[in-house]
Amino acid sequence: RRAMAVLRVRHCRALLYCRRAPPRCPLCGGDLRSAGLAAAPVRLHSPFRHGHGQPRAFLIRPTRGTFLQEYDGHSDLHVGITNSQGVVYNYDQEGVHRAGSGWEQCISIPLVQPDMWELLQHWDNLLEEFSLDEAWLPHRYQEQQHNCYTFALAFINRVRWGRGREPLSKAQFTERFLIPHTREASRYLSLHQELAHRDFYIVPLPEQEQHS
């Protein structure tokens, strides 16, 4: 089931978020259809992707449920790495899984640029070979210290090492790659949740933006 769109309308020195564009402004009652291009509804870009259609990417999803249905902002998250076909390699207390389904609504962070020809060719072999390492046997799993994130970041650093790059710490990878995506997802989720209980969510514009 596809989530309904989130629309943004700018009017009355405010941003109006809604599911369906209203004919009249809920603040002033003015006709939005004749308010010109400035008040035209804009569909917000969803930060969530079908993970199995995202090759060679770092994926994040809730451990249970989906972001737009059950996620409360605090539940555990699970991460994985896709091969070139969108199969998600992920590690938990049962060992390494190669999932062809279950990652249909994810935050996706691409890991390979289109000009990295050699890496594009060898990615699947590198990932499969890495996943067979004894470090990822089920009994090695530890919820805090040796988990799905450890697996994904260790693979990324293995690839970086092979390209002569410095390894990234968990903090570096989180700040550089994850936070920009998770911040955007968090804002979108907040709007989604607000609009589950009301027709409009209204955010006044800061003074300096009201006239821009």
Side-chain angles (χ1 to χ4, degrees), residues 95-114:
V96 176
H97 301 269
R98 296 159 183 81
S101 63
W103 295 72
E104 287 78 17
Q105 194 185 98
C106 302
I107 297 170
S108 173
I109 300 162
L111 295 173
V112 183
Q113 301 302 320

Side-chain angles (χ1 to χ4, degrees), residues 8-17 202-212:
R8 183 184 66 218
V9 178
R10 183 168 173 155
H11 202 253
C12 282
R13 299 180 180 176
L15 297 175
L16 319 173
Y17 294 95
I202 298 169
V203 180
L205 281 167
E207 191 70 36
Q208 65 270 25
E209 290 185 40
Q210 291 182 4
H211 308 292
S212 61

Side-chain angles (χ1 to χ4, degrees), residues 6 8 17 43-49 60 67-68 71 106-110 174-193:
V6 176
R8 183 184 66 218
Y17 294 95
R43 181 175 179 147
L44 295 193
H45 171 76
S46 171
F48 304 115
R49 298 282 171 273
I60 309 170
F67 279 115
L68 290 174
Y71 187 63
C106 302
I107 297 170
S108 173
I109 300 162
T174 299
E175 185 166 340
R176 198 180 305 178
F177 295 98
L178 299 195
I179 287 177
H181 288 81
T182 55
R183 192 175 283 148
E184 179 193 3
S186 180
R187 283 196 296 260
Y188 190 89
L189 272 177
S190 295
L191 290 170
H192 181 81
Q193 287 157 3

Side-chain angles (χ1 to χ4, degrees), residues 92-127:
D92 64 14
Q93 59 269 34
E94 296 173 4
V96 176
H97 301 269
R98 296 159 183 81
S101 63
W103 295 72
E104 287 78 17
Q105 194 185 98
C106 302
I107 297 170
S108 173
I109 300 162
L111 295 173
V112 183
Q113 301 302 320
D115 60 350
M116 297 177 178
W117 297 109
E118 191 172 351
L119 194 50
L120 289 170
Q121 299 300 316
H122 296 294
W123 185 265
D124 288 2
N125 288 337
L126 290 170
L127 184 54

Side-chain angles (χ1 to χ4, degrees), residues 56-90:
R56 307 178 192 89
F58 180 101
L59 302 183
I60 309 170
R61 68 163 171 80
T63 302
R64 293 178 183 80
T66 63
F67 279 115
L68 290 174
Q69 261 75 53
E70 299 92 347
Y71 187 63
D72 62 4
H74 305 288
S75 306
D76 287 344
L77 296 172
H78 193 44
V79 305
I81 304 273
T82 53
N83 69 6
S84 66
Q85 305 301 310
V87 174
V88 185
Y89 283 64
N90 61 102

Side-chain angles (χ1 to χ4, degrees), residues 118-142:
E118 191 172 351
L119 194 50
L120 289 170
Q121 299 300 316
H122 296 294
W123 185 265
D124 288 2
N125 288 337
L126 290 170
L127 184 54
E128 178 62 27
E129 185 182 310
F130 176 80
S131 71
L132 297 174
D133 195 289
E134 287 187 5
W136 315 117
L137 290 171
H139 71 274
R140 297 282 178 87
Y141 181 85
Q142 294 177 346

